[in-house]
Amino acid sequence: MALHKYGHFSEDGREFIITRPDTPAPWVNYISNKQYTGLVTNSGGGYSFYICPKDSRISRHRYNGLPWDRPGRYVYLRDEDGEFWSLTWQPTPSKKLDFYECRHGMGYTSIEQEYKGVRSKVLYFVPQDDDLEIWRVSLTNKSEQARKFDVFSYVELTLGHALVDLINQPNDQHFNVVKFDKANDFLYATKNYWVTYRGATVKQPNQAWNKYVYFASSLPVKGFDGKKDAFIGNWRSESDPIAVEEGICRNTEITASDPCAALQNEITLQPGETTEFVILMGIVDREGYEQSAPPLVEKYRNLANVDAAFAQVKAYWDEYLSVAQVETPDQEMNVMLNTWAKRQAWVTFHMHRTAGYYHGGLLFGTGIRDQSQDLLGPLMAEAPEVGDRICEVISHQFADGSTLHNYFRLTGQGEKTGHSDTPLWLPLAIMSYLKETGDFEFLKRVVPFHDEGEGTVLEHLTRAIDYPLSQLTPRHLPKFGPGDWNDTLDYVGREGIGESMWVAEFLCFILRESTDLLTKIGHTEKADQYRKEYDQIADALNTLCWDGEWYIRGTRDDGKVIGSHTNEEGRIFLESTTWAVISGIAPEDRANQTMDSVYKHLNTARGPKILHPAYTKVDPGVGLATRCVPGKKENGAIFNHPAAWAIMAECILHNGDRAYEYYRKTMPCIQAYDPDIYRMEPYVYSEYVTSPDHPTFGEASHSWLTGSGVWMYRNGLDNILGVRPTYEGLFIDPCIPSAWDGFTFTRLFRDAWYEITVTNPSHVQHGVASIEVDGALIKGQTLPVFAEGKHKVTVIMG
């Protein structure tokens, strides 16, 4: 793989190595054990939270501020002549480093640098079993004389509800507490006021935050500060804190003020000597502080325990990544499928797409739609956990089959917005779980409804389908409502008249899939009902919504059409064209025609746009999409999420060359070929890439927290490489570029390993001539399900 201007993948693909600190934007990684989470940038920035980034934030992050990426996790070194610098470049960027390297890996980040004869390395990670983050620091004196240093570690604290902290900071400070535990030599902090719902105007809360944060070092503490102003000083910043400049902390505790946690330690290094120590920041239940915090601090002050915990993190990721490993002729595709797309899908699932560098986790909570897609990533490796999460998600369904649109995990609260697509993602999640696991007993699990009563998982599934069916217009098409998957088409159907053709197609897909499931489990009457509904909606789409070369996007409350050749702007939309193919409603000739139209009108050098032409005039009858800048976001950007659906549709049509063309264009390491234009991380998908409709063509935004990652991951495995789960077993149906000679794919499915070798001697794009399993020829393309063991599969395309 070609070297990137700012770094490159490691040889095994498990790390992205950043070789210069001045990246075009902060590049992020996550350290997490699924409860305690930290975002870490390549300059030591980011923030931490426990379960919910809004309701239980630990450290502070300032949005849209200058300088970038403040505050963070900082370790300052001050030598005897008074000069000081940070071990993470920021927040002292004026220092000209002799060496810098950041490694973003699986569940950890390390930053190594050299300045003024001192080689330093800070490793950040979160243990698998304990809710704290560890900063493992090593310092080497490369000079020829003994050196004495003061070490200052620093973090700015939020303590509880992050939105209250952001918008009501002067008043919120009255409830902060930071104390020094002299017996155990560490700081601890909490807040005596905690908002856990949307505001004090609803009901004045009367509770304290139920957590303590502790901050400790394995070195003896020389000084400390819990008051930010005392450590930073007046009219100063993290770049020149008064405590570091003067070489002394003030030993401040607070019962009201702006909180921080800062520790001062002292070390001496002989020539060539290396010393190692740790900084610990963790969270414990407020009531269990005495039983939890001191023992954890003592445990991880021992470097042997730190190293064992880090080995456990690496072992977890080795196992997690192992469940699907591929080798194709495309090295970048291998890295994304084997490591980084899978890693991104893990993050979106466990972080609920709520907490990122560009999404602060303050407003939207866990999306029903988002979780139902993101679970497709960890499903192969962590099916039991995914099953439990599905039950959590469907517990926010109402008895009539409608659902909340989003919810907050710590409080259970959420919003019911009326988006017309939201209920339909629940069946997708359930059926995906069943195909992967074959666990049909799951359908009998009883889960409560959000409002009243309870039902089996199967009842939740059918109600999720029956509710949208009950909302069809007289033309037998779904109402648009205040939005569908495309949230920015938010004024197309607010009056209950406009229709969504995309929801109609998605509903048809769910009806077809659920018909197969219901038939398999013997619910033939319901299956027949859904089959008839499918036929009626498909007929309506083909009779009323075919526009000559593609399908329209929808109808508005005022009766006008969007996504039609008759429109001046927004004539063709990517999501409604692709799902006409994915749902199976488009006859073969129309399916091919609509995808040819996508290629003709939406394709760019960096992937397909979401619509064309971009809106240049605000249209109140369409909504937010028309208020976005042309070429940005939902107004004509290259939107990688529906771009994944274009790949899926082309695979269904057996167009391997075109599917792969889209796939390769949209990989982040390819889209970032000019990183100063692209700006975002080259190792994970961004949601948007600016299209040629804007002067900043190629600029990306909203990285990490996007469904693009999981859809691209499953697209590569299920549709291009064509190894996808069904109720009966793995179905083999590759759709690859004709230039490929073949590929290999090792996959865990249920309780057995499949070592699959695919050869393409005739250089076709699609088609299977023969399949052998353990040396025996099988009929059809579905592999037998094995109870255990490793099984060799040989596939010849033709």
Side-chain angles (χ1 to χ4, degrees):
M1 290 177 287
L3 292 180
H4 188 280
K5 178 179 178 180
Y6 294 93
H8 56 91
F9 290 107
S10 61
E11 187 173 345
D12 63 3
R14 299 286 181 91
E15 296 177 322
F16 192 85
I17 304 169
I18 303 168
T19 53
R20 50 186 287 186
D22 57 337
T23 48
W27 286 356
V28 177
N29 195 17
Y30 287 76
I31 55 175
S32 177
N33 62 7
K34 305 177 186 177
Q35 293 197 130
Y36 187 108
T37 297
L39 285 77
V40 185
T41 73
N42 57 301
S43 59
Y47 59 91
S48 300
F49 64 92
Y50 179 75
I51 297 181
C52 178
K54 184 188 79 167
D55 292 317
S56 201
R57 183 72 67 90
I58 297 168
S59 59
R60 188 176 286 158
H61 180 64
R62 292 193 288 274
Y63 302 92
N64 302 321
L66 288 175
W68 282 354
D69 200 24
R70 301 284 179 90
R73 304 164 176 82
Y74 300 137
V75 180
Y76 301 88
L77 208 58
R78 184 184 188 276
D79 64 14
E80 289 182 284
D81 62 14
E83 185 175 5
F84 63 88
W85 62 95
S86 168
L87 304 187
T88 53
W89 184 58
Q90 289 284 1
T92 56
S94 62
K95 307 298 182 182
K96 304 302 180 185
L97 303 179
D98 297 313
F99 175 82
Y100 166 89
E101 181 181 271
C102 171
R103 290 177 177 252
H104 282 327
M106 301 294 103
Y108 65 90
T109 287
S110 67
I111 300 175
E112 187 171 358
Q113 64 183 44
E114 188 171 327
Y115 179 72
K116 207 176 177 183
V118 178
R119 188 81 166 205
S120 63
K121 182 177 180 180
V122 184
L123 169 68
Y124 300 101
F125 74 96
V126 172
Q128 291 293 105
D129 300 325
D130 293 315
D131 293 325
L132 77 158
E133 60 187 84
I134 296 175
W135 314 352
R136 192 189 194 286
V137 183
S138 68
L139 300 171
T140 300
N141 179 6
K142 300 190 73 174
S143 72
E144 296 181 356
Q145 62 270 353
R147 307 281 296 276
K148 185 177 181 180
F149 300 97
D150 280 297
V151 179
F152 295 84
S153 49
Y154 172 78
V155 65
E156 189 173 332
L157 299 173
T158 294
L159 306 175
H161 197 290
L163 187 57
V164 171
D165 178 74
L166 181 67
I167 65 178
N168 194 27
Q169 194 178 93
N171 186 58
D172 199 44
Q173 292 174 10
H174 295 311
F175 306 100
N176 295 320
V177 176
V178 183
K179 297 287 187 180
F180 187 71
D181 185 329
K182 294 181 181 179
N184 296 290
D185 217 24
F186 63 79
L187 286 164
Y188 65 95
T190 191
K191 182 176 267 117
N192 288 326
Y193 176 75
W194 188 30
V195 177
T196 52
Y197 39 81
R198 293 199 195 100
T201 58
V202 180
K203 178 184 177 183
Q204 182 74 18
N206 187 22
Q207 60 185 348
W209 189 34
N210 63 353
K211 300 295 178 185
Y212 271 121
V213 172
Y214 57 87
F215 193 70
S217 171
S218 59
L219 298 173
V221 174
K222 178 181 179 181
F224 62 87
D225 275 311
K227 184 176 183 179
K228 189 179 78 172
D229 292 347
F231 182 82
I232 297 293
N234 296 334
W235 303 103
R236 290 170 174 259
S237 75
E238 301 91 345
S239 295
D240 59 345
I242 188 70
V244 180
E245 183 177 294
E246 295 183 352
I248 184 168
C249 283
R250 271 69 175 173
N251 294 345
T252 55
E253 300 178 317
I254 65 170
T255 54
S257 191
D258 202 359
C260 76
L263 296 175
Q264 180 180 1
N265 316 106
E266 190 175 78
I267 61 169
T268 299
L269 289 175
Q270 298 302 319
E273 184 184 3
T274 296
T275 189
E276 298 175 317
F277 59 93
V278 294
I279 306 298
L280 310 172
M281 182 168 71
I283 192 168
V284 294
D285 290 338
R286 191 175 178 124
E287 293 184 2
Y289 160 75
E290 291 291 347
Q291 292 73 40
S292 300
L296 280 173
V297 169
E298 287 309 306
K299 175 181 178 180
Y300 288 110
R301 278 175 170 160
N302 185 324
L303 285 175
N305 291 332
V306 170
D307 293 342
F310 183 57
Q312 189 179 14
V313 169
K314 298 192 80 170
Y316 167 82
W317 279 99
D318 286 344
E319 182 177 359
Y320 181 83
L321 296 175
S322 71
V323 298
Q325 290 287 302
V326 308
E327 183 65 37
T328 77
D330 186 328
Q331 292 184 31
E332 287 84 6
M333 187 176 186
N334 295 341
V335 168
M336 294 308 298
L337 291 180
N338 290 335
T339 305
W340 285 96
K342 189 181 304 185
R343 162 101 171 126
Q344 184 173 3
W346 186 96
V347 167
T348 57
F349 176 71
H350 290 292
M351 302 307 103
H352 315 278
R353 289 199 225 168
T354 63
Y357 199 84
Y358 307 96
H359 292 280
L362 303 179
L363 296 176
F364 302 116
T366 297
I368 300 288
R369 174 201 296 157
D370 297 342
Q371 281 286 278
S372 298
Q373 298 169 79
D374 293 338
L375 60 82
L376 296 171
L379 180 55
M380 288 181 285
E382 298 180 330
E385 184 172 357
V386 169
D388 291 341
R389 183 67 58 79
I390 290 172
C391 291
E392 176 187 307
V393 170
I394 66 177
S395 72
H396 297 289
Q397 179 191 47
F398 293 87
D400 67 358
S402 63
T403 67
L404 294 178
H405 188 62
N406 62 297
Y407 65 95
F408 292 93
R409 296 195 74 211
L410 278 179
T411 66
Q413 293 183 342
E415 295 177 290
K416 187 177 184 180
T417 61
H419 281 68
S420 51
D421 65 309
T422 309
L424 291 170
W425 294 100
L426 303 182
L428 176 70
I430 294 166
M431 290 185 287
S432 298
Y433 173 84
L434 295 175
K435 288 178 181 179
E436 183 66 35
T437 65
D439 176 19
F440 290 96
E441 290 296 308
F442 181 70
L443 293 171
K444 300 177 183 178
R445 284 177 67 168
V446 176
V447 180
F449 292 104
H450 189 74
D451 50 351
E452 57 183 5
E454 61 185 20
T456 64
V457 170
L458 180 60
E459 289 171 324
H460 280 269
L461 182 150
T462 55
R463 292 192 194 194
I465 299 169
D466 291 342
Y467 179 77
L469 289 174
S470 73
Q471 303 297 304
L472 298 179
T473 69
R475 304 201 310 166
H476 220 73
L477 293 168
K479 295 176 182 178
F480 215 117
D484 58 16
W485 170 84
N486 190 332
D487 300 294
T488 64
L489 302 178
D490 52 341
Y491 278 83
V492 174
R494 283 185 178 266
E495 296 177 14
I497 301 170
E499 299 161 323
S500 170
M501 281 55 197
W502 180 84
V503 173
E505 293 160 351
F506 186 44
L507 175 55
C508 280
F509 174 82
I510 295 298
L511 286 168
R512 186 183 64 184
E513 291 287 308
S514 59
T515 296
D516 291 344
L517 171 62
L518 292 166
T519 300
K520 181 174 180 60
I521 63 176
H523 290 236
T524 55
E525 185 176 346
K526 195 69 171 176
D528 289 341
Q529 177 199 339
Y530 285 170
R531 193 175 293 110
K532 290 175 184 177
E533 292 283 2
Y534 177 97
D535 290 341
Q536 283 185 287
I537 299 171
D539 181 67
L541 283 165
N542 280 297
T543 302
L544 303 171
C545 306
W546 176 247
D547 198 52
E549 295 183 0
W550 59 82
Y551 289 84
I552 65 172
R553 181 61 176 85
T555 61
R556 301 165 26 152
D557 285 330
D558 60 9
K560 295 178 182 178
V561 174
I562 62 171
S564 166
H565 74 280
T566 61
N567 297 123
E568 181 181 349
E569 298 175 336
R571 287 196 295 266
I572 179 172
F573 283 74
L574 185 57
E575 62 266 34
S576 52
T577 50
T578 54
W579 276 87
V581 178
I582 296 168
S583 66
I585 65 99
E588 184 177 355
D589 58 337
R590 289 185 175 182
N592 285 300
Q593 175 65 67
T594 197
M595 292 310 296
D596 286 344
S597 296
V598 167
Y599 197 77
K600 177 181 178 180
H601 296 288
L602 300 178
N603 191 30
T604 78
R606 293 177 182 263
K609 303 189 296 181
I610 190 173
L611 63 82
H612 180 79
Y615 291 98
T616 60
K617 298 181 287 294
V618 173
D619 188 336
V622 174
L624 183 60
T626 69
R627 296 184 182 275
C628 298
V629 176
K632 296 279 189 178
K633 291 177 64 68
E634 281 85 350
N635 191 12
I638 299 155
F639 196 159
N640 283 319
H641 194 155
W645 297 336
I647 296 164
M648 189 174 179
E650 293 292 2
C651 287
I652 290 170
L653 297 178
H654 305 161
N655 296 328
D657 287 334
R658 188 179 287 177
Y660 176 70
E661 177 188 340
Y662 286 149
Y663 197 89
R664 182 159 177 81
K665 282 180 180 179
T666 52
M667 284 192 292
C669 45
I670 302 301
Q671 284 182 323
Y673 59 81
D674 189 334
D676 291 313
I677 293 176
Y678 185 77
R679 301 191 69 202
M680 295 295 97
E681 298 93 337
Y683 45 87
V684 291
Y685 287 93
S686 289
E687 190 163 293
Y688 311 104
V689 178
T690 307
S691 78
D693 298 330
H694 191 274
T696 59
F697 174 41
E699 183 181 50
S701 68
H702 297 72
S703 62
W704 279 102
L705 302 185
T706 166
S708 309
V710 70
W711 279 99
M712 290 296 188
Y713 175 56
R714 294 309 297 251
N715 248 334
L717 301 183
D718 298 356
N719 299 309
I720 294 179
L721 302 186
V723 180
R724 56 182 174 268
T726 70
Y727 301 127
E728 286 72 33
L730 288 175
F731 186 72
I732 307 299
D733 188 33
C735 186
I736 62 175
S738 55
W740 281 14
D741 293 324
F743 62 89
T744 62
F745 188 158
T746 300
R747 191 197 197 283
L748 177 66
F749 182 65
R750 300 180 188 172
D751 296 313
W753 290 89
Y754 295 77
E755 298 174 346
I756 303 167
T757 300
V758 177
T759 58
N760 188 20
S762 301
H763 287 275
V764 297
Q765 298 178 61
H766 179 265
V768 172
S770 66
I771 300 177
E772 290 185 0
V773 178
D774 293 331
L777 197 66
I778 67 167
K779 293 182 179 180
Q781 293 172 239
T782 303
L783 303 182
V785 176
F786 294 100
E788 60 183 1
K790 293 183 178 180
H791 303 274
K792 293 190 178 298
V793 179
T794 303
V795 180
I796 300 176
M797 295 182 65

